[in-house]
Amino acid sequence: MSRKDSHPLPWHMDVSPGSGGLPPRSWYAGSDALRMSLNGQWRIRLSPTATAEDASFAGSGFDASGWETVAVPGHWVLQGVGGAPAYTNVVYPFPVDPPHVPTENPTGDHLRTFDLPDGWLAGGDVVLRFDGVESAARVWLNGEELGDFKGSRLPHEFAVGGIVRAEGNVLAVRVHQWSCGSYLEDQDQWWLPGIFRDVTLLHRPQGAPRDFFVHAGYDHRAGAGTLRVECDGAGGRVIVPELGVDVATGEAVTVPVEPWTAETPRLYDGELVTPGERIPLRIGFRTVVVEDGLVQVNGRRVLFRGVNRHEFHPETGRAVDAETMRRDLVLMKRHPINAVRTSHYPPHPAFLDLCDEIGLWVIDECDLETHGFVDLEWRNNPVDDERWTPALLDRAARMVERDKNHASVIIWSLGNECGSGRGLTAMADWIKGRDPDRLVHYEGDLSCKDVDLYSRMYPTHAEVELIGKRSEDPWGDPELDARRRAMPFIMCEYGHAMGNGPGGLSEYQRLFERYERCQGGFVWEWIDHGLAHPAHGFAYGGDFGEELHDGNFVCDGLLFPDRTPSPGLIEYKKVIEPVRIEAGTSAGTVRIGNGYDFARLDHVEFVWSHEVDGEVRGSGPLTVPDVAPGAHAEVPLPGDGAGVWTVRALLAEDTAWAERGHVVAWGQVEVDAAVPAAAAVRRCPETAEGVITLGAGVFDARSGALVRIGGVPVEGLRLDVWRAPTDNDNGAAWQPDERYGLRWRELGLHRMRHRIDTVEVDGDSLTVRTWVAPAGVDLGLRTEYRWTADGERLGLTVSVAPEGDWRVPLPRLGVRFGLPAAYGGARWFGGGPGEAYPDTRAASVLGRWEMPVDAMQTPYVRPQENGARADVRWAELTDGGGAGLRAEGTAPFWFTARRWTSEQLDAAEHLPDLVAGETVWVNLDHAMQGIGSQSCGPGVLPRYRLDAAAAQFSFLFSAVE
Ligand code: GAL
């Protein structure tokens, strides 16, 4: 706290955790005790300041019939009640003067009435629970003040037994958008005030436990689980019929069990029976430790194929319904993600039930981030100011107590991006004391003094390799350095999935596989937080007129806002697939590797197919021996003829997350790829009446410009090096170098001029020599187009020689041309079905693909380069009747087609800005710059950089009838 306050601060600026509430305890979905949801339509009155209205609304008889209504759970800013969402990444959207918050503090007074069904007042107590309110609430029931709380994504309960009555209860909740808690909740996301999680009334019968703690470890040597349930406030019995267990609470029992893992989420149904309440238990036995410098679960090293998940829905913000939660998990499992970091706060508690059930390793993260202090050199950082420590400990306790009974939760995270400080140490100490059976994570303190594992965000591949060898740069204090060096390593964030990308995932995966210390990572992040918007499709920062904002940095997920998988997710699926299918060491074989940590391969079945030029020549089941985790086998294919051999691993049975036949993994082996011969030169150019005719090609005699091929008009064919910079091309403001998107624009690559030097007809060819360069500089690309023709095909060889001082790579290198809008159907043999770039092409399947040009576009929320298909051998653009143009490459090329130009794509800020024109623009690229991850991480690896260098490439064009 920076200044002295001469008078007491109002409750919402008081750094204490709150008042009047009950101590935290575990959350469970149901028991035989009565419960009643208070979700639904509530009355709401919005005030512009925290003090504008008095508290008389909480008293009995207040007439709120003139107020607006709001859905609870929900955010009032997304319901047309008033106010607007606001997005900032790091910076606080208010003056930083902790614990003070602005006078302009949108405040929502919420009101609802309710009656109690029978049976509630017969004895015991009644508890009122809030699962999440942003950012602070003060609560009254029947005019009596219950207390107040902060900690937006944490539960808060009040005892209301003496206050609640059979009929006409009035529940009043005053919610302030800003409180001192906001200083602790500076996560990179929308600021969205409101009662955004459930409100529930719970009957607590006499003799019901206050709380309970399930301890269920697994001894992998003995194959046995040990169960002990601590019960607070009531004795009882723990019954697990399937295991024949019936023991007193507090008593340990050891029985042979199948362990719980994320791959095999074996849960045992049981019950905690107390005099007042019977509580269902779902018990998963597992033990997590750091041993031999590795995170080990049930005695084995695990590899995290993880993702960071914020709670998000494009219409309801952080109010996420049960179906959406399940959908997230099903999608994760189908793209075999096995771990989730609940960035950067505990999720809706029901989400963790689903993780237990469906199988995911969870890093449960506390609702804590003070990143906005970084630019103030961490002055007055609450995590290093003991006045805030009670609030931090309260947050830690609310997370741990709420979520301690989940098998899926194996790591507690103190929070995100808070710098370092004594408050974090206090949290870690408390957590270890309360729950020594899990690990503690925090990334922001490089000393690692409070944690069990070394965690970083966005390190380069080179650094990860050093860490893998335990030879990273030393840390100041030798003792801490030695401690950290002995720790396992994870990346709590990597692969920044903003816009097109992330690139370089495969290379990280290879490092995880090579170095046992590198136990994987969590891609940033699961879903784009684009909010549904009437004009923009999906809105991002700035679209609501925010004074400060961070633009589309809020759209950096593997899913688009509507939860359609982006190419990034398809790529991630391929990169992390748990069965690796590759060419075997001898011809006609495949190598099948089991990359699971625990599972054998008996849950998948293998099939093969053989295609030539995209046509299936044969297919059938493939017999593969049951391979143990970490092992592999070489299996003969039923032939070794030329073409593409594809082997797929399919789920053999339905699971909770996919049906039998779901593709778990695939691999391809190409045998003797056919290379089309260059046009055998037969035709000679003929010049007449201002046009040059060469085979099927017709050119303007003066400019040498191609006019048509057969009956297909062709517009503006020429060298193209520009692409609408991706978010990763542009990089983030804090990135030290590269940021090629900006440097390309500075150089003028988006406004290249094409000077025609000569147009020459020479024997059997037409040669056009040009100089391609931007205004204002003396570098450029000497470019020659040489056209030849045989009977049907028109050959083009482009030779490019850079001259001058080129210091940046090229965005792309190829030709672009336009076709009339009617040629809107695409067919190709090459990589597909989705887009791919040099460092994002693992998931590109070689085959024959067909789709409308419209379907080739990837709808990045902020439009940018997208839609290239890799490794294309030939492509056709056809009209409704199947007639059109075909292009073959003498080497595989990149194929892109769209109904707007790269310049239009570049100018667009939201998807609705892209309007189809009269032309289909086609890019055939010899080479393409990689994508990298520089919107928040490392740039393009050197091998994927398209340095300006002399190049030559050829295409053969023909008309398709
Ligand atoms: C990290 C941060 C995340 C998010 C990400 C960039 O530094 O922990 O919350 O901001 O960068 O998208």
Side-chain angles (χ1 to χ4, degrees):
M1 283 153 272
S2 49
R3 302 206 175 85
K4 270 222 155 110
D5 293 301
S6 52
H7 48 83
L9 289 167
W11 68 272
H12 68 285
M13 299 191 214
D14 173 351
V15 298
S16 76
S19 68
L22 291 167
R25 64 184 182 114
S26 42
W27 184 98
Y28 47 96
S31 73
D32 65 347
L34 296 172
R35 58 175 60 204
M36 181 172 134
S37 169
L38 296 176
N39 294 347
Q41 292 295 317
W42 289 43
R43 291 283 177 186
I44 186 169
R45 171 184 65 190
L46 225 52
S47 313
T49 68
T51 50
E53 305 286 345
D54 64 22
S56 62
F57 79 106
S60 59
F62 184 87
D63 179 11
S65 57
W67 292 14
E68 305 256 11
T69 56
V70 72
V72 171
H75 306 279
W76 70 72
V77 290
L78 296 181
Q79 298 188 47
V81 175
Y87 166 58
T88 59
N89 169 13
V90 176
V91 69
Y92 287 104
F94 46 76
V96 180
D97 181 21
H100 303 87
V101 293
T103 300
E104 292 158 89
N105 187 355
T107 294
D109 287 333
H110 293 69
L111 204 64
R112 79 157 280 165
T113 56
F114 62 93
D115 298 333
L116 279 185
D118 291 344
W120 280 76
L121 300 175
D125 201 351
V126 178
V127 164
L128 172 64
R129 182 173 70 207
F130 295 88
D131 283 320
V133 182
E134 183 166 328
S135 80
R138 190 171 165 198
V139 187
W140 296 262
L141 183 63
N142 298 331
E144 223 170 289
E145 182 165 354
L146 302 178
D148 56 70
F149 60 83
K150 294 147 212 133
S152 298
R153 300 104 198 178
L154 292 163
H156 302 274
E157 289 185 330
F158 297 96
V160 297
I163 305 170
V164 72
R165 50 192 186 226
E167 283 179 5
N169 292 287
V170 180
L171 176 57
V173 186
R174 170 161 289 175
V175 182
H176 298 310
Q177 169 148 21
W178 309 120
S179 69
C180 58
S182 307
Y183 283 102
L184 306 181
E185 295 171 8
D186 190 28
Q187 294 95 346
D188 173 6
Q189 59 179 346
W190 295 101
W191 298 93
L192 294 174
I195 305 176
F196 72 99
R197 285 188 190 154
D198 308 295
V199 183
T200 316
L201 206 63
L202 300 147
H203 186 231
R204 305 303 303 139
Q206 246 155 27
R210 194 200 70 75
D211 193 13
F212 61 96
F213 195 165
V214 177
H215 302 272
Y218 180 72
D219 178 345
H220 62 278
R221 290 178 197 89
T226 298
L227 175 67
R228 181 172 59 88
V229 179
E230 284 172 48
C231 197
D232 175 5
R237 295 204 70 79
V238 178
I239 300 171
V240 189
E242 198 185 338
L243 295 173
V245 167
D246 181 349
V247 290
T249 53
E251 206 175 289
V253 55
T254 300
V255 277
V257 294
E258 291 170 42
W260 187 97
T261 74
E263 290 168 8
T264 52
R266 179 67 160 99
L267 290 173
Y268 291 88
D269 284 324
E271 213 177 9
L272 169 60
V273 182
T274 68
E277 187 180 19
R278 298 176 82 100
I279 301 171
L281 304 175
R282 305 200 77 192
I283 303 158
F285 293 89
R286 52 111 194 90
T287 291
V288 53
V289 292
V290 169
E291 223 171 76
D292 302 328
L294 301 175
V295 178
Q296 300 196 26
V297 183
N298 303 338
R300 291 205 201 170
R301 169 193 187 250
V302 289
L303 181 56
F304 297 114
R305 305 165 151 99
V307 76
N308 280 278
R309 176 181 180 270
H310 265 289
E311 298 198 298
F312 185 74
H313 187 284
E315 262 122 34
T316 56
R318 280 189 286 282
V320 176
D321 58 278
E323 197 191 316
T324 304
M325 290 184 224
R326 181 174 280 276
R327 190 157 163 215
D328 275 351
L329 285 170
V330 163
L331 276 169
M332 286 180 194
K333 293 289 281 192
R334 287 185 186 169
H335 294 87
I337 288 164
N338 70 358
V340 59
R341 172 176 177 234
T342 69
S343 53
H344 300 299
Y345 41 82
H348 189 289
F351 181 78
L352 298 175
D353 279 348
L354 291 173
C355 291
D356 292 345
E357 179 192 314
I358 223 167
L360 274 119
W361 308 116
V362 177
I363 299 185
D364 195 356
E365 188 150 276
C366 199
D367 190 5
L368 179 62
E369 173 160 341
T370 63
H371 203 182
F373 288 87
V374 68
D375 292 331
L376 314 172
E377 285 147 3
W378 297 108
R379 273 190 309 281
N380 297 313
N381 183 5
V383 307
D384 200 24
D385 177 336
E386 61 205 19
R387 285 169 292 185
W388 290 85
T389 304
L392 304 186
L393 289 173
D394 180 70
R395 285 171 187 249
R398 282 184 195 281
M399 167 179 74
V400 171
E401 298 300 357
R402 192 195 77 166
D403 296 341
K404 60 186 177 291
N405 292 329
H406 292 282
S408 55
V409 176
I410 57 167
I411 299 175
W412 300 116
S413 176
L414 304 180
N416 186 55
E417 296 185 319
C418 295
S420 57
R422 291 161 289 168
L424 294 168
T425 306
M427 289 171 81
D429 289 348
W430 183 87
I431 292 174
K432 285 179 194 157
R434 176 67 178 137
D435 183 16
D437 295 334
R438 289 183 174 94
L439 310 181
V440 172
H441 168 271
Y442 174 64
E443 182 272 350
D445 182 352
L446 277 177
S447 80
C448 293
K449 64 179 184 304
D450 299 320
V451 297
D452 297 310
L453 56 167
Y454 181 31
S455 171
R456 292 284 305 282
M457 43 176 84
Y458 312 109
T460 61
H461 298 83
E463 192 180 355
V464 172
E465 177 136 39
L466 284 177
I467 295 172
K469 295 176 175 159
R470 300 193 192 264
S471 55
E472 68 266 25
D473 285 346
W475 173 253
D477 176 323
E479 214 173 294
L480 285 175
D481 182 60
R483 189 172 167 273
R484 191 211 53 229
R485 209 171 286 280
M487 285 178 173
F489 174 70
I490 62 161
M491 286 189 279
C492 66
E493 294 179 29
Y494 81 116
H496 197 248
M498 183 179 183
N500 188 335
L505 291 176
S506 299
E507 288 74 14
Y508 281 115
Q509 197 67 20
R510 297 292 94 81
L511 292 169
F512 306 156
E513 285 161 10
R514 189 166 325 134
Y515 299 103
E516 64 169 10
R517 187 190 189 192
C518 298
Q519 293 193 255
F522 296 74
V523 164
W524 186 267
E525 69 177 303
W526 178 236
I527 183 167
D528 285 343
H529 307 211
L531 286 169
H533 189 281
H536 296 320
F538 292 112
Y540 48 79
D543 289 338
F544 299 96
E546 299 102 299
E547 185 178 73
L548 291 175
H549 67 84
D550 289 289
N552 69 316
F553 202 66
V554 77
C555 293
D556 52 4
L558 295 172
L559 295 182
F560 294 115
D562 64 2
R563 287 190 155 70
T564 320
S566 77
L569 183 58
I570 311 298
E571 175 78 0
Y572 196 40
K573 172 178 178 178
K574 177 65 183 154
V575 167
I576 61 177
E577 61 188 7
V579 182
R580 185 90 53 220
I581 304 170
E582 295 157 328
T585 43
S586 46
T589 65
V590 274
R591 184 182 196 270
I592 313 276
N594 179 349
Y596 288 104
D597 297 323
F598 301 93
R600 302 191 66 93
L601 293 188
D602 48 2
H603 66 290
V604 291
E605 50 199 12
F606 291 84
V607 292
W608 64 272
S609 71
H610 176 218
E611 290 172 28
V612 177
D613 194 26
E615 274 167 21
V616 180
R617 296 290 165 86
S619 64
L622 187 74
T623 310
V624 173
D626 185 12
V627 183
H632 66 268
E634 295 229 351
V635 179
L637 286 166
D640 60 359
V644 179
W645 293 82
T646 306
V647 172
R648 293 187 172 85
L650 313 175
L651 274 186
E653 274 168 23
D654 291 352
T655 65
W657 45 271
E659 287 178 2
R660 175 169 183 211
H662 166 81
V663 180
V664 172
W666 58 273
Q668 289 186 311
V669 181
E670 190 176 14
V671 181
D672 297 335
V675 181
V681 180
R682 265 177 262 144
R683 299 296 175 89
C684 289
E686 288 164 20
T687 311
E689 292 170 18
V691 297
I692 300 170
T693 308
L694 176 58
V698 177
F699 299 81
D700 178 271
R702 279 210 298 199
S703 65
L706 179 66
V707 177
R708 63 186 160 83
I709 298 175
V712 182
V714 181
E715 180 188 344
L717 187 148
R718 60 194 196 180
L719 187 80
D720 191 15
V721 296
W722 180 239
R723 75 182 185 196
T726 64
D727 294 318
N728 285 313
D729 290 335
N730 287 333
W734 59 84
Q735 298 288 4
D737 45 37
E738 299 184 5
R739 304 199 66 194
Y740 291 129
L742 309 191
R743 294 173 61 195
W744 291 336
R745 207 183 292 277
E746 263 166 37
L747 185 60
L749 297 189
H750 59 308
R751 47 175 168 77
M752 296 295 261
R753 298 292 166 182
H754 297 247
R755 187 185 73 220
I756 299 155
D757 292 334
T758 57
V759 177
E760 270 175 42
V761 170
D762 175 16
D764 56 14
S765 65
L766 163 66
T767 303
V768 182
R769 295 196 174 82
T770 69
W771 175 244
V772 182
V777 291
D778 65 354
L779 55 66
L781 301 165
R782 194 147 312 275
T783 305
E784 178 190 294
Y785 307 82
R786 184 160 178 274
W787 296 95
T788 53
D790 62 14
E792 285 152 17
R793 299 180 306 171
L794 182 67
L796 166 65
T797 296
V798 182
S799 308
V800 184
E803 290 179 19
D805 188 14
W806 281 90
R807 294 181 182 192
V808 288
L810 298 173
R812 63 170 2 115
L813 183 66
V815 292
R816 170 170 98 172
F817 55 89
L819 298 176
Y823 297 99
R827 244 160 55 99
W828 71 96
F829 177 58
E835 75 178 27
Y837 288 81
D839 52 351
T840 64
R841 57 182 290 179
S844 186
V845 185
L846 202 49
R848 191 183 287 202
W849 305 103
E850 183 164 358
M851 66 183 73
V853 165
D854 297 322
M856 293 180 75
Q857 315 309 310
T858 306
Y860 294 114
V861 173
R862 185 191 73 81
Q864 53 196 277
E865 166 67 27
N866 72 83
R869 270 41 179 197
D871 213 5
V872 175
R873 319 301 166 87
W874 57 259
E876 291 175 0
L877 287 143
T878 52
D879 63 14
L885 186 70
R886 176 181 171 99
E888 288 166 75
T890 53
F893 60 95
W894 303 87
F895 167 49
T896 312
R898 45 174 78 107
R899 292 188 181 275
W900 34 79
T901 60
S902 293
E903 291 74 11
Q904 288 163 333
L905 187 58
D906 187 17
E909 291 184 351
H910 295 91
L911 283 167
D913 301 344
L914 290 170
V915 181
E918 289 304 306
T919 308
V920 172
W921 290 101
V922 182
N923 278 89
L924 308 179
D925 289 303
H926 167 64
M928 188 77 85
Q929 162 81 357
I931 296 292
S933 188
Q934 229 194 358
S935 56
C936 195
V940 172
L941 284 167
R943 83 191 80 149
Y944 300 120
R945 211 170 48 212
L946 174 51
D947 289 323
Q952 194 177 71
F953 47 94
S954 306
F955 298 103
L956 298 165
F957 295 99
S958 51
V960 184
E961 302 294 323

